[in-house]
Amino acid sequence: MSIANHACRLPAWKTIPGVRHAVAEARRDGRTIGLVPTMGALHEGHAALIREAAARTDFVVVSIFVNPTQFGPGEDFARYPRNLEGDLAICDAAGAGGVFHPEVEEMYPHGKGHAFVEVEGVTESLEGPIRPGHFRGVATVVLKLFQIVAADVAFFGEKDYQQLVVVRRMVEELNLPIAIEAVPTVREPDGLALSSRNAYLSVEERARAAVLWRALSSARAAVAGGEASGDRIRQILRRTLESEVGLPDIDYAEVVDSESLMPLERVDGSRAARALVAVRLGKTRLIDNTPLP
Ligand code: AMP
């Protein structure tokens, strides 16, 4: 079942029976299983997830699947970057045990999919209203991957903070027998969070993109300095973003409760708080977030 279609010797499976067989063998050997779901075009952020998974579990499966059902019409599904050879080398170097990279038809044999997972509440703010259907696609494909790989632990990046919260909520509500581990965001020297979508940025946009981290850092500094008003922290986020991004291109600049994702009036340490921003730079949409101290 393992296909040697690349220079490194990492096992790679395109079929569900293929990866299931390898996972079952590892489990028979008494090994624990880790899963790192990705959409490929891997970078150092993904590598950090794989390394963490390899440190915490015995056999790490990385899935690489650009999931069509989480992209809306007019989003970047068709042009999303794809680079399997490079991805396999990164997985190998970071300690993966194998890579599951199915075609769309393997995951959705009946077309667009006919059974879905809806997570309510935590999908209703931030990205939810802006990308209708996105989290339904994410939750559904993540549940499918959990069913296919049957891992003990799955690893997700804080970079996509709302996605992490949605997956955690799904696991709790549906009693899925898997643990979810979060990995902190890996950043460029100027603070820009690594993202496969950064490849879309022109040189000029790339320079302006550092404003997301500047905005989040200003919010952190304000809270550290005693600012507790949610609205004033939102204002700091917006003002900083507006130095590089026009108002219509700011999708949100929010301060929310870290668990419910509902807007917070006060950031006073009584509840864990998080600042999240989403902006459009030319044709590229960028998101980032940070815990507020
Ligand atoms: P993606 O391939 O963009 O779907 O991301 C796959 C996983 O990698 C998700 O759990 C992301 O949150 C995580 N990830 C993406 N970028 C980063 C980053 N810069 N640092 C840490 N994790 C990341």
Side-chain angles (χ1 to χ4, degrees), residues 37-40 43 45-46 49 80 156-157 159-160 163 184-186 194:
T38 81
M39 299 205 299
H43 49 63
H46 298 110
L49 263 69
Y80 197 84
F156 289 84
K159 161 71 173 43
D160 300 280
Q163 168 176 282
T185 302
V186 177
L194 267 57

Side-chain angles (χ1 to χ4, degrees), residues 121-126 161-162 165 169 234 254-267 271-274 276:
V122 291
T123 58
E124 282 153 29
S125 58
L126 305 167
Y161 185 75
Q162 190 173 16
V165 171
R169 186 58 60 90
R234 283 177 197 96
E254 258 303 354
V255 176
V256 300
D257 179 291
S258 300
E259 279 179 30
S260 71
L261 304 184
M262 294 307 285
L264 278 179
E265 261 177 51
R266 310 265 318 152
V267 177
R271 296 153 158 197
R274 200 131 191 137
L276 299 95

Side-chain angles (χ1 to χ4, degrees), residues 199-211:
Y200 300 150
L201 298 169
S202 69
V203 171
E204 177 259 344
E205 288 164 348
R206 168 62 191 84
R208 285 161 61 211
V211 77

Side-chain angles (χ1 to χ4, degrees), residues 164-291:
L164 169 67
V165 171
V166 169
V167 169
R168 283 212 160 116
R169 186 58 60 90
M170 172 178 77
V171 165
E172 270 176 44
E173 293 275 341
L174 302 182
N175 308 100
L176 304 181
I178 191 164
I180 304 300
E181 289 291 338
V183 177
T185 302
V186 177
R187 299 178 179 282
E188 300 281 6
D190 67 356
L192 177 66
L194 267 57
S195 164
S196 308
R197 289 189 168 102
N198 293 351
Y200 300 150
L201 298 169
S202 69
V203 171
E204 177 259 344
E205 288 164 348
R206 168 62 191 84
R208 285 161 61 211
V211 77
L212 280 84
W213 181 240
R214 277 209 303 283
L216 294 169
S217 302
S218 307
R220 284 173 67 94
V223 173
E227 181 57 78
S229 152
D231 278 343
R232 277 203 293 272
I233 302 164
R234 283 177 197 96
Q235 210 170 58
I236 290 166
L237 289 169
R238 284 193 168 273
R239 288 230 178 97
T240 315
L241 292 173
E242 280 169 29
S243 67
E244 296 288 352
V245 183
L247 195 61
D249 288 331
I250 301 174
D251 278 347
Y252 55 78
E254 258 303 354
V255 176
V256 300
D257 179 291
S258 300
E259 279 179 30
S260 71
L261 304 184
M262 294 307 285
L264 278 179
E265 261 177 51
R266 310 265 318 152
V267 177
D268 53 14
S270 61
R271 296 153 158 197
R274 200 131 191 137
L276 299 95
V277 294
V279 306
R280 275 164 289 130
L281 270 181
K283 288 197 167 74
T284 309
R285 192 165 177 280
L286 299 176
I287 61 172
D288 200 357
N289 69 87
T290 191

Side-chain angles (χ1 to χ4, degrees), residues 16-58:
I16 294 168
V19 67
R20 279 205 168 124
H21 179 76
V23 168
E25 265 190 351
R27 201 171 279 294
R28 256 200 313 279
D29 295 343
R31 302 163 84 186
T32 56
I33 315 295
L35 171 65
V36 180
T38 81
M39 299 205 299
L42 302 184
H43 49 63
E44 195 47 41
H46 298 110
L49 263 69
I50 301 167
R51 282 195 295 269
E52 180 68 15
R56 308 276 296 262
T57 61
D58 301 324

